[in-house]
Amino acid sequence: MVLLAERTTLGAPIPTDRLTLQVADIGPDTTAIRCLDWDRQRFDIEFALDNGTTYNSFLIRGDKVALVDTSHVKFQELYRDLLLKQIHPDQLDYLIISHTEPDHSGLVADVLALAPHITIVGAKVAIQFLENMVHEPFRSQVVKSGDRLDLGKGHCLEFVSAPNLHWPDTIFTYDPASGILFTCDAFGMHYCDEHLQDEVPHLLEKDFQYYYDCLMGPNARSVLMALKRIDGLDIQQVATGHGPLLKHQVNHWMNCYRRWSEAQAKTDNLVVLFHVEGYGHSDRLVEAMVQGLHKTEIELEVVDLASATLQEVRELAGAASALLIGMPPQGRQHPNFQAAISTILASAHRKQGIGLFEVGGGEDEPIYPLRTQFQDLGLTEIVPPLILKMGAKPANPASAEQESIFASSGLWSGFGFVSQTSELPAALVQTCEEIGTDVGQWVSRDRTIQQIKSLDTNLEKALGRLSGGLYILTAQKGELSSAMLASWVMQASATPLGVAIAVAKDRAMESFLRVGDRFVLNVLEEGNSQPLMKHFLTRFSPGADRFAGVKTFPSQQGSPILAEALAYLECEVTSRLESHDHWIVYSTVHTGRVAKAEGLTAVHHRKVGNHY
Ligand code: FEO
């Protein structure tokens, strides 16, 4: 059945894209509701569409009824009206969220308004996202791989975690009664026509591959993990969130994903981060580390030890170039985590790097015995352990509600009292981001050296004839500060005064140079630049104070001005342009001063142009 949307206001047609609906039974007790967006031309910034797209939602009617995903907000009224024709809201029991991107979850609040009693089922991260999106209390059920939800009449749904396909919160839902696997984005395509399924596969090949290349290819290893997790399922049909459902050539489409992903998944730059979701402060620490890792060119797998199989743990731990491990809870009550740690130890080898961190869960596996075991295996410790413990409640009655968090390590030391639910200290979060970047840089170090060696000699010499001044960028954001030596700096505007600075993407300082941030550009003086250069060229450990032993005074907005600088400019970032491996940071200049009227700027003459 195809319903054409006629959107009018007071009888006058609104110039709009064509939006239609399609409803069809696709298996026992299972109905597809497809929202056809015929004329959508772009998905995200980089994803041009030739054939529009669809947003697919599904009803599964056992003794209980589940809705799988909703739709895009542009279908708000159409979808609502159609859903009400399909089912009375009182009969709806569950809303399964395959992932929370708005093209599928844009109408969650509308469904909740119709049926506030329903339970929303999703990955832990998905439920957290939704709580921030919906702003209304709702019932929820967190699921992960292996969990089941029995709707009755044989529809005992089984969930499969499929993180990174393409959001971190993705789950698949398998219904053994129909053999349908609901995958949302995975195996989808942006292809809009009235064919419900893949009856004419050759028409779809191009769009299927383009979609894979744009959305799934960058996470090829995660695709392979997901394929392994669904390997034993008897899949008769793949109910995707975009485009036609896959029924006639299921094996062909799956094999395409397998083949393409095997070709793309690299192992020479893989970082695997093992942790236990939701334990202690693990989620926040991992989020910061992931942010830091993504500044570098590595492939990343984040693995929740609570849902990963030992086989997955073994494969990933063996394939990784570096391992980051957030300590799981110890003790006999958690035998699965002990087995996972043993498996990692059995798979690790001496060519790998390692970083360990406690998460402050109260009963973390002790870090030092494990550290010794990895050292005995010959792994390189990229970053010293980060220790985070929940301490005793402070005696001060004013703080009686608080728990103490004590973090100390060779890298970061600090002591703070924060309530269990409050934010972690910003300095600790920054340290975690820098740990991620350090690990990524360690993994990609060989490639960086190869790139430096690979340029044509004459070209690199010619490029080296471009010279620049020597500067130190300094910034303060709240309690956090950072600094870096820069030489790729130029004036870029006269009215208003503006400068442009190229900053490598994997610099810790990059996080202080987002649009709206303020910083100081300190100009080094010829003949007096060596002490400051030497200091700021030091490789700082994550979280280390860049200004220890350096004389500074604060600028108007608080960023440190170096007392030994020849001049300084106080700047505000107004835009950023992404080049291949640098950000070009354009900033307007608010104030500035020269310390010595006669002084000259220190200049950097390079021999070659392919590195600093
Ligand atoms: Fe189709 Fe990731 O949303």
Side-chain angles (χ1 to χ4, degrees):
M1 170 174 32
V2 177
L3 306 173
L4 184 62
E6 294 180 46
R7 300 207 300 175
T8 59
T9 298
L10 298 176
I14 301 172
T16 184
D17 295 341
R18 290 171 298 159
L19 305 177
T20 64
L21 297 174
Q22 184 185 51
V23 181
D25 292 335
I26 58 167
D29 314 313
T30 310
T31 305
I33 301 172
R34 298 177 72 227
C35 297
L36 280 62
D37 189 349
W38 293 86
D39 302 311
R40 184 162 179 172
Q41 294 182 339
R42 195 152 280 281
F43 217 100
D44 301 332
I45 279 178
E46 73 285 2
F47 203 154
L49 308 184
D50 289 336
N51 299 307
T53 192
T54 75
Y55 318 102
N56 305 336
S57 164
F58 305 92
L59 273 170
I60 308 170
R61 302 170 211 251
D63 298 322
K64 306 249 180 187
V65 179
L67 179 65
V68 181
D69 296 322
T70 65
S71 185
H72 194 287
V73 72
K74 66 168 72 171
F75 281 87
Q76 190 169 34
E77 287 176 29
L78 296 169
Y79 181 85
R80 181 182 178 281
D81 292 349
L82 183 56
L83 187 63
L84 290 176
K85 284 180 187 157
Q86 291 296 313
I87 189 162
H88 191 285
D90 290 350
Q91 294 175 316
L92 205 52
D93 297 288
Y94 297 100
L95 169 56
I96 296 169
I97 294 295
S98 303
H99 91 132
T100 46
E101 202 165 9
D103 50 325
H104 309 285
S105 62
L107 300 180
V108 169
D110 297 76
V111 173
L112 274 173
L114 290 173
H117 60 278
I118 57 168
T119 300
I120 298 188
V121 179
K124 184 169 185 288
V125 185
I127 300 297
Q128 287 167 347
F129 280 158
L130 281 179
E131 283 166 353
N132 291 328
M133 279 167 61
V134 172
H135 303 300
E136 294 284 344
F138 57 84
R139 290 184 193 157
S140 63
Q141 182 175 339
V142 170
V143 292
K144 57 182 184 320
S145 277
D147 289 348
R148 288 184 162 80
L149 177 66
D150 193 351
L151 301 180
K153 296 186 182 170
H155 299 283
C156 185
L157 307 182
E158 188 176 325
F159 298 100
V160 177
S161 302
N164 307 324
L165 300 188
H166 63 122
W167 272 24
D169 58 357
T170 304
I171 54 166
F172 295 167
T173 304
Y174 177 69
D175 184 352
S178 62
I180 297 176
L181 181 70
F182 301 88
T183 58
C184 200
D185 280 341
F187 306 106
M189 67 194 89
H190 291 309
Y191 190 93
C192 178
D193 76 0
E194 285 163 12
H195 285 104
L196 173 70
Q197 289 151 333
D198 54 341
E199 293 96 333
V200 194
H202 73 270
L203 288 179
L204 309 174
E205 300 274 2
K206 185 166 148 272
D207 292 270
F208 185 76
Q209 178 153 14
Y210 180 53
Y211 180 100
Y212 171 91
D213 290 343
C214 290
L215 258 77
M216 301 296 156
N219 295 303
R221 185 166 297 280
S222 300
V223 173
L224 292 173
M225 293 260 292
L227 285 170
K228 274 193 183 147
R229 288 180 179 183
I230 60 175
D231 209 20
L233 302 177
D234 178 17
I235 300 168
Q236 299 298 316
Q237 185 169 190
V238 181
T240 64
H242 296 292
L245 316 189
L246 310 179
K247 183 175 182 185
H248 301 281
Q249 303 278 345
V250 172
N251 286 341
H252 167 69
W253 302 120
M254 294 253 173
N255 284 336
C256 285
Y257 263 43
R258 184 171 289 108
R259 200 171 65 247
W260 296 334
S261 299
E262 282 172 350
Q264 289 207 31
K266 300 187 198 95
T267 54
D268 64 341
N269 66 342
L270 175 65
V271 177
V272 180
L273 196 165
F274 292 106
H275 77 127
V276 177
E277 267 183 30
Y279 175 57
H281 296 275
S282 191
D283 295 355
R284 184 68 189 99
L285 300 178
V286 167
E287 185 188 334
M289 287 179 194
V290 168
Q291 217 163 344
L293 282 158
H294 280 322
K295 287 185 175 182
T296 64
E297 291 193 19
I298 51 100
E299 197 183 341
L300 174 65
E301 280 295 333
V302 178
V303 180
D304 176 13
L305 290 174
S307 60
T309 65
L310 289 182
Q311 189 189 345
E312 289 167 351
V313 170
R314 186 178 302 112
E315 283 179 19
L316 286 170
S321 293
L323 304 169
L324 262 171
I325 305 174
M327 293 297 109
Q330 62 173 324
R332 268 175 293 178
Q333 64 271 41
H334 301 294
N336 294 344
F337 297 137
Q338 305 309 308
I341 291 292
S342 300
T343 302
I344 295 170
L345 275 167
S347 310
H349 53 83
R350 64 182 180 77
K351 288 187 178 168
Q352 295 172 319
I354 183 81
L356 303 172
F357 60 100
E358 289 188 350
V359 301
E363 51 173 12
D364 293 10
E365 179 78 18
I367 212 165
Y368 285 105
L370 191 59
R371 180 196 201 198
T372 305
Q373 287 176 281
F374 280 118
Q375 284 174 338
D376 290 346
L377 287 169
L379 278 78
T380 302
E381 187 172 76
I382 308 170
V383 287
L386 180 84
I387 312 292
L388 181 69
K389 289 194 185 303
M390 302 300 293
K393 285 186 179 176
N396 178 355
S399 303
E401 297 300 312
Q402 298 174 321
E403 296 283 341
S404 70
I405 288 184
F406 174 53
S408 73
S409 73
L411 296 172
W412 191 82
S413 66
F415 185 80
F417 291 98
V418 295
S419 78
Q420 231 165 355
T421 52
S422 73
E423 287 285 299
L424 286 173
L428 176 59
V429 174
Q430 185 194 2
T431 298
C432 288
E433 185 177 322
E434 291 177 14
I435 285 174
T437 303
D438 271 19
V439 170
Q441 287 174 338
W442 187 87
V443 167
S444 48
R445 67 199 185 289
D446 288 346
R447 225 162 347 116
T448 307
I449 293 167
Q450 277 170 13
Q451 279 167 1
I452 287 172
K453 288 180 178 169
S454 68
L455 277 193
D456 171 81
T457 307
N458 275 326
L459 170 57
E460 67 190 46
K461 282 181 180 168
L463 200 59
R465 293 304 175 267
L466 296 178
S467 62
L470 284 168
Y471 311 89
I472 308 288
L473 304 187
T474 55
Q476 181 89 30
K477 260 193 198 179
E479 66 186 78
L480 307 178
S481 61
S482 193
M484 66 168 259
L485 180 70
S487 61
W488 294 5
V489 178
M490 62 181 281
Q491 185 164 350
S493 169
T495 310
L497 293 170
V499 293
I501 304 166
V503 178
K505 286 182 175 173
D506 63 355
R507 290 296 188 124
M509 181 79 185
E510 181 274 335
S511 305
F512 291 74
L513 298 171
R514 307 275 164 85
V515 172
D517 286 345
R518 289 196 166 209
F519 66 94
V520 168
L521 179 63
N522 297 272
V523 182
L524 299 190
E525 182 185 6
E526 187 181 71
N528 188 27
S529 60
Q530 284 304 316
L532 285 172
M533 270 186 71
K534 195 173 167 198
H535 177 88
F536 287 103
L537 276 174
T538 307
R539 187 170 180 83
F540 293 99
S541 295
D545 178 6
R546 270 67 169 162
F547 297 97
V550 177
K551 262 193 278 179
T552 65
F553 57 93
S555 68
Q556 283 180 3
Q557 52 77 34
S559 288
I561 295 170
L562 303 181
E564 296 296 319
L566 170 65
Y568 75 84
L569 300 168
E570 195 170 347
C571 309
E572 179 177 347
V573 180
T574 45
S575 60
R576 301 190 353 155
L577 172 71
E578 187 171 11
S579 72
H580 179 69
D581 53 6
H582 281 64
W583 288 104
I584 315 298
V585 179
Y586 173 74
S587 310
T588 47
V589 181
H590 290 297
T591 58
R593 272 199 63 195
V594 178
K596 292 183 199 169
E598 302 303 318
L600 292 176
T601 302
V603 179
H604 186 208
H605 294 291
R606 299 174 302 162
K607 287 198 170 74
V608 289
N610 58 346
H611 58 96
Y612 299 116

